[in-house]
Amino acid sequence: DQQVKQNSPSLSVQEGRISILNCDYTNSMFDYFLWYKKYPAEGPTFLISISSIKDKNEDGRFTVFLNKSAKHLSLHIVPSQPGDSAVYFCAASAGGNKLVFGAGTILRVKS
Amino acid sequence: EPEVTQTPSHQVTQMGQEVILRCVPISNHLYFYWYRQILGQKVEFLVSFYNNEISEKSEIFDDQFSVERPDGSNFTLKIRSTKLEDSAMYFCASSQADEQYFGPGTRLTVT
């Protein structure tokens, strides 16, 4: 199932700088997109979401951008902190039911 | 802050045995889900449950799987006759709207 793709397996960023995590999707029926953060041996933690009627949603240090024409979304974290080091999953839903997840991107924030 | 809880955290069982994984969703949520993540693979949807019935299920969710909400708080996943390939992390999630909140997971090991 390749409907949601996170093409970068890992990303390394210096503390204080911006982290940009990317996600592409193929299913044009997706109308809601979410980002989750996951630490080892824990469940995914909801971070931020965006509806397909918007192109940007901001919550503190986290901003999600949606480009529907390109079927692309990104998560910006600024400034990045060492505690942000985790696996980040992009997920999408069509009609508010099951989530389809990407493979995840490992973010390492170096102090 | 309310959270989804799951028990047990780790379950070891022999092939062919029945297992029941338990979840307590967030109390005012109406939609319940099970997902699983096989080691090294994506988080994948198993089943969604609303108003005391299954609303959607994946191809993985065959006759060996069942879900139940036996009382007002618990939500269970039963695997009747476990196979080696059922070994995975199983995550319960609940939602009130579009954002799904996940539990910490149960690691199921089938030997």
Side-chain angles (χ1 to χ4, degrees):
Chain A
D1 184 348
Q2 294 292 312
Q3 295 186 76
V4 178
K5 297 181 194 178
Q6 293 177 257
N7 291 320
S8 298
S10 65
L11 174 68
S12 187
V13 170
Q14 197 67 34
E15 180 180 6
R17 306 296 288 265
I18 186 170
S19 297
I20 300 176
L21 298 114
N22 293 301
C23 178
D24 296 293
Y25 63 96
T26 57
N27 188 343
S28 57
M29 299 300 291
F30 287 146
D31 58 7
Y32 206 79
F33 304 89
L34 307 92
W35 284 94
Y36 287 86
K37 174 181 177 180
K38 186 180 182 301
Y39 294 116
E42 294 184 13
T45 301
F46 170 73
L47 272 178
I48 192 169
S49 60
I50 188 167
S51 163
S52 61
I53 62 173
K54 295 186 174 181
D55 54 20
K56 177 183 175 182
N57 189 25
E58 193 172 350
D59 184 1
R61 296 187 298 115
F62 302 92
T63 303
V64 56
F65 295 92
L66 175 62
N67 182 335
K68 280 179 60 180
S69 60
K71 293 191 175 69
H72 176 84
L73 65 154
S74 60
L75 174 68
H76 291 209
I77 306 172
V78 55
S80 301
Q81 299 172 354
D84 296 329
S85 297
V87 181
Y88 287 78
F89 291 98
C90 170
S93 71
N97 206 357
K98 71 176 186 182
L99 293 180
V100 179
F101 280 83
T105 297
I106 300 170
L107 174 65
R108 295 187 186 91
V109 180
K110 299 176 288 186
S111 56
Chain B
E1 187 172 323
E3 57 184 20
V4 177
T5 60
Q6 290 185 243
T7 54
S9 57
H10 191 190
Q11 174 89 48
V12 181
T13 189
Q14 288 191 328
M15 196 167 52
Q17 295 297 304
E18 175 183 286
V19 293
I20 297 176
L21 309 183
R22 292 184 166 80
C23 169
V24 179
I26 294 172
S27 62
N28 62 343
H29 286 184
L30 301 176
Y31 301 87
F32 314 113
Y33 311 84
W34 284 101
Y35 292 81
R36 78 174 186 190
Q37 186 178 28
I38 295 171
L39 187 64
Q41 298 187 21
K42 292 183 179 183
V43 176
E44 50 188 356
F45 169 79
L46 292 178
V47 65
S48 58
F49 192 86
Y50 170 72
N51 201 24
N52 283 319
E53 59 183 29
I54 290 173
S55 49
E56 187 173 355
K57 59 183 181 179
S58 71
E59 292 176 353
I60 304 165
F61 195 89
D62 62 21
D63 292 343
Q64 293 300 311
F65 291 86
S66 63
V67 289
E68 192 178 31
R69 188 154 163 83
D71 53 43
S73 59
N74 289 284
F75 180 51
T76 62
L77 174 69
K78 182 193 290 187
I79 309 174
R80 287 190 187 80
S81 177
T82 50
K83 307 182 186 105
L84 293 177
E85 54 265 35
D86 294 327
S87 295
M89 282 291 292
Y90 287 80
F91 296 107
C92 173
S94 69
S95 72
Q96 198 172 34
D98 292 305
E99 287 91 21
Q100 295 182 23
Y101 294 86
F102 284 75
T106 293
R107 178 172 299 283
L108 177 64
T109 303
V110 183
T111 61

